[in-house]
Amino acid sequence: MILTSSGNFVDPFELKEQDVLIQDIACSLAGQPRFSGHTGTTYSVAEHSVITLCSLVSNCSIILLKPETLKQALMHDAPEAYISDIPGPVKESINKKYDNAIQNIEEEIWKVIASKYNLPIRLKKEVLLADKEALAGELVTFFSEGATVLKDQLKYKGTINHLYEIINKAIEDFNDITDEHFLKSRTYYFLSDFFRILIPNVYSESIDLSMEPLSKEDAEYLFLETWKLLNLM
């Protein structure tokens, strides 16, 4: 059993829908560093989740994106709120040695979260690609020379962008939209709030991640407010 930020005792191995609270997920992911904290600056799983959403929007035709796909992008690492973030190479080794132990646990937790929030259980291929691009951007941003080796291990064939470039490209693509039907859609109004209000308020007008890192409170706020906007769609 673990004690969550909401004051509830939760068994990750017997997770129930009533155990899952978006506030707990946001708080936990905002407090967990990516890459086991080896980035040299604060960078949380919650911030990575929002970057993945930005990557999705910059990669795809925004007009064709469905609300559940956007939600998947934000929530793709939500199981880590209950079993913590484990570095990819370590997770892979554990899975190989112990019959996919971590993968199986994450999948079971994800099924409960997906059911709670009416999300497809299978992650969309667009979300998986966006997650890879976000990871590639993180490697370049935080690890410079070492990123080349890790990139090759990822077998990622696309263009590697720095994190602020991913965000800026998503904003530019959004600002170029002229489709009248889409401009009247709920998806448009979500993205309008997300890119024109929320992102600049958190990252500053320049959207430059070389600035001071987000605090845990800011990362939690960014994740929660993004989720709220998604649920207005």
Side-chain angles (χ1 to χ4, degrees), residues 145-192:
E145 295 180 1
T148 302
V149 175
L150 293 171
K151 169 183 170 291
D152 291 340
Q153 292 176 0
L154 277 175
K155 298 180 180 178
Y156 177 73
K157 303 301 182 183
T159 301
I160 290 183
N161 295 314
H162 290 275
L163 301 184
Y164 68 88
E165 290 174 337
I166 291 175
I167 296 175
N168 280 328
K169 184 177 185 300
I171 293 173
E172 289 171 4
D173 291 347
F174 175 73
N175 288 336
D176 289 341
I177 294 171
T178 57
D179 184 274
E180 291 185 9
H181 177 73
F182 181 73
L183 291 175
K184 297 177 182 178
S185 71
R186 289 186 177 184
T187 302
Y188 169 80
Y189 284 107
F190 155 69
L191 293 170
S192 178

Side-chain angles (χ1 to χ4, degrees), residues 113-139:
I113 295 172
S115 177
K116 170 75 177 271
Y117 296 115
N118 298 312
L119 302 176
I121 292 177
R122 182 181 293 274
L123 289 179
K124 302 288 187 181
K125 63 180 180 180
E126 297 91 346
V127 173
L128 295 173
L129 178 61
D131 187 27
K132 271 194 171 183
E133 181 168 83
L135 173 56
E138 290 161 359
L139 294 174

Side-chain angles (χ1 to χ4, degrees), residues 6 22 35 40 59 90 98 102 122 135 150 196 201 213 226:
S6 61
I22 192 64
F35 304 101
N59 282 340
V90 177
Y98 297 103
I102 301 298
R122 182 181 293 274
L135 173 56
L150 293 171
R196 294 177 181 170
N201 282 348
T226 300

Side-chain angles (χ1 to χ4, degrees), residues 11-229:
D11 183 352
F13 302 103
E14 295 290 340
L15 195 67
K16 304 291 191 300
E17 284 189 30
Q18 59 265 30
D19 297 328
V20 177
L21 297 175
I22 192 64
Q23 294 86 350
D24 285 340
I25 293 172
C27 179
S28 177
L29 298 187
Q32 294 189 54
R34 288 274 285 170
F35 304 101
S36 292
H38 292 287
T39 53
T41 187
T42 303
Y43 183 70
S44 69
V45 177
E47 191 170 356
H48 161 79
S49 300
V50 175
I51 295 289
T52 299
L53 175 60
C54 291
S55 179
L56 172 69
V57 173
S58 68
N59 282 340
C60 300
S61 172
I62 299 173
I63 297 173
L64 300 178
L65 287 173
K66 296 180 179 179
E68 59 263 30
T69 306
L70 295 167
K71 289 179 181 179
Q72 270 196 344
L74 183 69
M75 294 285 278
H76 72 281
D77 279 336
E80 295 175 4
Y82 301 99
I83 59 170
S84 297
D85 178 47
I86 301 173
V90 177
K91 186 183 297 185
E92 184 177 348
S93 295
I94 293 174
N95 284 330
K96 284 183 178 178
K97 190 171 183 179
Y98 297 103
D99 197 23
N100 291 321
I102 301 298
Q103 179 180 327
N104 292 336
I105 294 169
E106 286 186 332
E107 287 179 354
E108 290 304 309
I109 293 175
W110 172 250
K111 287 178 183 177
V112 178
I113 295 172
S115 177
K116 170 75 177 271
Y117 296 115
N118 298 312
L119 302 176
I121 292 177
R122 182 181 293 274
L123 289 179
K124 302 288 187 181
K125 63 180 180 180
E126 297 91 346
V127 173
L128 295 173
L129 178 61
D131 187 27
K132 271 194 171 183
E133 181 168 83
L135 173 56
E138 290 161 359
L139 294 174
V140 171
T141 301
F142 297 119
F143 296 103
S144 60
E145 295 180 1
T148 302
V149 175
L150 293 171
K151 169 183 170 291
D152 291 340
Q153 292 176 0
L154 277 175
K155 298 180 180 178
Y156 177 73
K157 303 301 182 183
T159 301
I160 290 183
N161 295 314
H162 290 275
L163 301 184
Y164 68 88
E165 290 174 337
I166 291 175
I167 296 175
N168 280 328
K169 184 177 185 300
I171 293 173
E172 289 171 4
D173 291 347
F174 175 73
N175 288 336
D176 289 341
I177 294 171
T178 57
D179 184 274
E180 291 185 9
H181 177 73
F182 181 73
L183 291 175
K184 297 177 182 178
S185 71
R186 289 186 177 184
T187 302
Y188 169 80
Y189 284 107
F190 155 69
L191 293 170
S192 178
D193 285 345
F194 180 63
F195 287 127
R196 294 177 181 170
I197 301 173
L198 186 60
I199 288 289
N201 282 348
V202 175
Y203 285 111
S204 87
E205 292 297 332
S206 63
I207 320 294
D208 186 349
L209 296 190
S210 64
M211 58 178 280
E212 288 297 314
L214 292 189
S215 66
K216 179 183 184 298
E217 292 74 18
D218 281 345
E220 182 176 347
Y221 167 83
L222 179 62
F223 187 97
L224 271 178
E225 291 302 308
T226 300
W227 178 252
K228 289 178 184 177
L229 287 173

